[in-house]
Amino acid sequence: MRVPVWSVGGTQRKTWNSQTLVIVMAVCFLLIQAVTIYYDATWRVIDRADYLSLESGKLVVARVGELGRAAGFRVGDRLARLAGEEIETVLDYRRVLSHQAPGSKASLVVRRGDEELPLAAMVETRPVDLALVARNLAALAFLFMGTLVAFDRFDGKPVRLFFLSSLALGLYLALQRTEVIGLVYFQVAALALTPALACHFFLTFPTEWPLARSRWQFLPYVPSLLLAAAVLQAYLQAFWAGTGLYYAPRYWRLNTVLYAYLIVAIAMGLVGSAHRYVTTSRLVVKRQLQWIMWGLGCAALVTCSDVVLTLSHAQTSTTTALLPLAIIALPVSFGFAILRYRLLDVDLVVSRSVIYGALTAGLLALYLFLVSVLPMSLAV
C-alpha cells in the first residue's frame, strides 16, 4: 500500500516544526544563561569578608575585615550616603553601587552615633569562581542531553517531559546565585516546575502508569504553581520593602519547601523505578531502569552529602562549588536510557550522530557568540 504524499509532507512539516521549537527553546536558554553569566561576572561589591558586610536587610555594618578597619569602618556603622546619593534601603545601596566603576573608590558617609563620617571603599566585581563555572557546566549538560533527545523524537510524551525537565533544572542551576530582579522570576519558575515535570516524566517512562492516561496526571503541577505564586509574592514583599533577597526570610523558607518537593519527586522516581525493575520481565525496560536508578542515585547521594556536610559544619567553599558537577550524571543517564534503548536503532547511530554533532556545534557557537557580544551591548 502506497503512502499518500500529503501524509509524508505533513509528517515532515511536523518534524521540522518540532525541531525548530527545540532549537528556539535551547537558544532562549542560552540567552538567559549568557545574561546571567554577564551579571555574575560584573556584579559590583564592596562588602566582601575582608572589607565589610552589611546586616541582613539593613544598612548597618555587621562585620568588618582588615581592609575595612584600615579604612575606618566599625561594626554598627549605618550607611547614609553612597557616591553622593542618599540611600535608605539595601536595594538603594545595590542600585547606586552598580553604577560605580570597578577599581574605583566609592565615597561613603556613615552615621556613628550622632556624627556622620566620610569614608571610602574600593569597588570590585564579584570574582568568577569555581562555583560559577561548575554550575554553568552542569546547566549546559542538562541542555545538551535534553536537546539531543528532543531533536530526534519530540512527538513522544516522555521525550517532551525529559526535555522540559532538563531545561527547567538546568536553568535553575544557571540562575541559582542570581540577584538580578528580572532573572529571579525565571529562577523561581524553573525550581517550581522541575519537581512537577519530573513526577510527570516518571509516570510515563519507561512504561506508562494508568495514572498517566487520566486527568490526574497533571496533579503534581498544582503544588508547583501554588508554591511558585507564594514564593513570588514573598519576593515582591521583600522588594517593595527595599531588602530584595538580602533579607526575605519568608522567601527563603518557601524556597526550602520547593527544595523539599524536588527531593520528594526524586525519591518517588527512585522508588517507582525500583518497583518496576522488580516487577517487569522485559530486558530492555530493566536496562532503562538501571540507567535511571543510577542517575537518581547520584542525585540523591549529592543531596544527602550536601545536607550532611552542612549539618556537621564540614561544608567548604570547594565542596559546595563542586557538588553541581556530580549532578551531571542525572541527565546523562536519563538521556542514554531514552536514546540507546527506545528511540534509536543501532543502524542509525552513525548517521544521526552527524546531526547531533552539527546541532551541538551550532549551539556551542551561538553560546560563545552571546557570551562574548552580550556584555559589550549591555554595557553601552
Side-chain angles (χ1 to χ4, degrees):
M1 180 177 178
R2 296 181 61 188
V3 179
V5 175
W6 62 267
S7 176
V8 175
T11 302
Q12 289 177 341
R13 284 195 297 271
K14 185 177 180 180
T15 300
W16 281 110
N17 288 339
S18 63
Q19 291 175 345
T20 302
L21 178 61
V22 169
I23 293 175
V24 169
M25 295 181 71
V27 169
C28 290
F29 180 103
L30 291 173
L31 178 62
I32 295 173
Q33 188 181 21
V35 173
T36 305
I37 292 174
Y38 167 73
Y39 278 111
D40 275 347
T42 60
W43 194 256
R44 308 292 198 271
V45 294
I46 61 173
D47 50 349
R48 297 180 59 182
D50 55 350
Y51 215 102
L52 61 90
S53 295
L54 300 179
E55 186 177 335
S56 297
K58 301 178 182 178
L59 294 171
V60 178
V61 177
R63 186 173 66 251
V64 180
E66 293 182 5
L67 294 178
R69 283 193 294 271
F73 289 97
R74 299 293 181 268
V75 174
D77 288 348
R78 176 177 173 79
L79 303 188
R81 288 190 294 278
L82 173 61
E85 294 190 41
E86 295 283 344
I87 51 176
E88 298 181 355
T89 66
V90 176
L91 289 184
D92 289 338
Y93 165 76
R94 294 299 326 171
R95 175 183 54 80
V96 177
L97 186 61
S98 66
H99 294 100
Q100 308 306 306
S104 63
K105 281 196 173 182
S107 60
L108 294 100
V109 174
V110 301
R111 292 194 181 98
R112 186 179 299 165
D114 296 329
E115 60 179 336
E116 290 189 349
L117 302 174
L119 302 173
M122 185 68 69
V123 179
E124 299 177 346
T125 55
R126 188 159 57 188
V128 178
D129 54 9
L130 183 60
L132 176 65
V133 176
R135 285 188 295 104
N136 282 282
L137 284 177
L140 285 176
F142 277 93
L143 173 66
F144 172 76
M145 291 307 303
T147 305
L148 185 67
V149 172
F151 198 71
D152 183 74
R153 294 282 182 87
F154 194 66
D155 54 336
K157 184 189 290 188
V159 174
R160 292 196 300 269
L161 291 171
F162 173 69
F163 176 64
L164 294 175
S165 301
S166 298
L167 289 189
L169 189 51
L171 194 61
Y172 172 72
L173 288 172
L175 296 170
Q176 192 174 18
R177 199 173 64 170
T178 188
E179 298 175 24
V180 181
I181 295 173
L183 295 177
V184 171
Y185 298 105
F186 289 101
Q187 179 204 63
V188 172
L191 179 59
L193 286 176
T194 297
L197 289 167
C199 288
H200 200 176
F201 173 82
F202 291 130
L203 290 175
T204 61
F205 187 84
T207 56
E208 199 172 51
W209 291 84
L211 184 62
R213 295 188 291 271
S214 69
R215 68 182 65 179
W216 299 104
Q217 63 179 308
F218 300 107
L219 186 62
Y221 295 92
V222 175
S224 285
L225 294 176
L226 293 177
L227 284 171
V231 172
L232 290 176
Q233 191 265 343
Y235 172 69
L236 288 174
Q237 280 185 341
F239 174 78
W240 291 118
T243 63
L245 295 180
Y246 299 91
Y247 186 70
R250 184 166 175 264
Y251 170 87
W252 294 112
R253 285 196 298 268
L254 289 169
N255 258 275
T256 303
V257 177
L258 278 176
Y259 280 122
Y261 187 29
L262 179 58
I263 293 173
V264 169
I266 293 175
M268 289 176 59
L270 191 57
V271 172
S273 298
H275 172 74
R276 285 177 175 177
Y277 184 82
V278 173
T279 57
T280 187
S281 59
R282 297 173 57 188
L283 181 60
V284 170
V285 174
K286 281 185 176 290
R287 288 178 177 174
Q288 288 174 313
L289 290 170
Q290 285 172 352
W291 282 103
I292 288 175
M293 288 188 292
W294 176 72
L296 289 174
C298 290
L301 182 61
V302 170
T303 303
C304 293
S305 300
D306 188 24
V307 172
V308 171
L309 289 173
T310 301
L311 293 178
S312 62
H313 303 288
Q315 189 76 280
T316 65
S317 58
T318 302
T319 56
T320 302
L322 292 177
L323 279 176
L325 292 178
I327 306 178
I328 293 178
L330 192 61
V332 172
S333 62
F334 277 66
F336 188 83
I338 298 173
L339 287 174
R340 176 61 182 86
Y341 293 111
R342 184 161 185 164
L343 298 182
L344 293 182
D345 294 328
V346 176
D347 297 338
L348 298 178
V349 171
V350 176
S351 61
R352 292 188 179 180
S353 63
V354 177
I355 298 177
Y356 296 143
L359 175 64
T360 305
L363 289 175
L364 181 60
L366 178 61
Y367 177 75
L368 294 175
F369 171 79
L370 290 173
V371 172
S372 61
V373 173
L374 193 61
M376 293 185 291
S377 63
L378 291 177
V380 176

